[in-house]
């Protein structure tokens, strides 16, 4: 799994003469690491922050995974899963992506029944799709018991 983020970072040699290490440090690097781990939560493979997606959107096909709050950060960010180079989506994805996007739109409007139906459509094309499976289960759960004061942000509790 891969987590991508863009921003300022410190890059270079750290340590002592006995143990030099070339590394990268900073908040943006930590966020990329958190996104790499967040792939497990969604069942995705390549997760990019909104900053990275905005810089690459003319070159990649992607789908929004939602707004997340990672461990150690108070401000939520939008995240995306990269799917293919621009214009190179498979025929299956050309069918599934509009269904997925409809599902996300309904989910964000708290229209959980409609969201579930859209995600079921995605899963007919890609039976093992992690994000569609995650949202299908969540939409079904929320249709039975809606969360109180939910702000639309998915709080990730593990690194």
């Amino acid at each position: 799994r891969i987590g991508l983020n863009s921003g300022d970072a410190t890059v270079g040699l750290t340590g002592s003469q006995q143990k030099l290490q070339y590394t990268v440090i900073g908040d943006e690097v930590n966020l990329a690491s958190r996104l790499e781990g967040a792939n497990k939560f969604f069942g995705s493979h390549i997760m990019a922050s909104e900053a990275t997606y905005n810089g690459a959107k003319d070159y990649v096909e992607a789908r929004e995974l939602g707004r997340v709050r990672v461990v150690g950060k108070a401000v939520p960010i939008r995240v995306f899963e990269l799917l293919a180079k621009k214009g190179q989506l498979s025929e299956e994805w050309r069918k599934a992506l509009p269904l997925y996007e409809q599902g996300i739109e309904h989910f964000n409007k708290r229209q959980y029944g409609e969201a579930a139906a859209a995600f079921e459509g995605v899963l007919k094309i890609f039976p093992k799709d992690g994000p569609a499976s995650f949202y299908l289960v969540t939409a079904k759960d929320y249709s039975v018991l809606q969360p109180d004061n939910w702000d639309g942000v998915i709080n990730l509790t593990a690194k």
Side-chain angles (χ1 to χ4, degrees):
R1 296 182 171 106
I2 298 170
L4 300 171
N5 187 38
S6 300
D8 293 332
T10 301
V11 180
L13 292 171
T14 63
S16 65
Q17 286 192 4
Q18 287 78 26
K19 188 175 180 181
L20 278 178
Q21 188 175 29
Y22 192 80
T23 191
V24 58
I25 57 175
D27 282 344
E28 304 301 343
V29 176
N30 291 339
L31 179 55
S33 176
R34 299 288 194 271
L35 296 180
E36 183 272 330
N39 278 298
K40 293 180 221 167
F41 183 83
F42 282 100
S44 52
H45 302 287
I46 304 174
M47 187 180 297
S49 67
E50 185 171 16
T52 299
Y53 173 70
N54 284 339
K57 65 184 173 186
D58 294 337
Y59 306 98
V60 297
E61 303 283 356
R63 63 175 164 176
E64 183 175 351
L65 294 174
R67 290 182 22 214
V68 300
R69 187 176 291 116
V70 298
V71 175
K73 297 285 183 184
V75 177
I77 62 164
R78 286 176 63 207
V79 292
F80 298 83
E81 181 180 28
L82 305 184
L83 300 173
K85 289 181 180 178
K86 193 64 129 183
Q88 294 185 13
L89 274 180
S90 68
E91 185 63 35
E92 291 87 5
W93 269 116
R94 282 190 222 123
K95 293 176 186 172
L97 189 56
L99 292 170
Y100 178 86
E101 289 170 343
Q102 289 171 8
I104 290 292
E105 184 177 334
H106 287 302
F107 187 87
N108 289 334
K109 290 179 180 176
R110 299 176 187 223
Q111 299 167 339
Y112 301 119
E114 294 89 340
F119 293 124
E120 285 171 345
V122 174
L123 291 169
K124 286 180 182 172
I125 300 167
F126 291 107
K128 295 182 180 181
D129 185 66
S133 297
F134 164 77
Y135 275 110
L136 174 60
V137 169
T138 307
K140 286 182 175 181
D141 288 348
Y142 285 6
S143 68
V144 173
L145 182 62
Q146 291 191 22
D148 292 331
N149 302 320
W150 186 57
D151 61 359
V153 176
I154 298 164
N155 292 303
L156 303 177
T157 57
K159 294 181 181 181

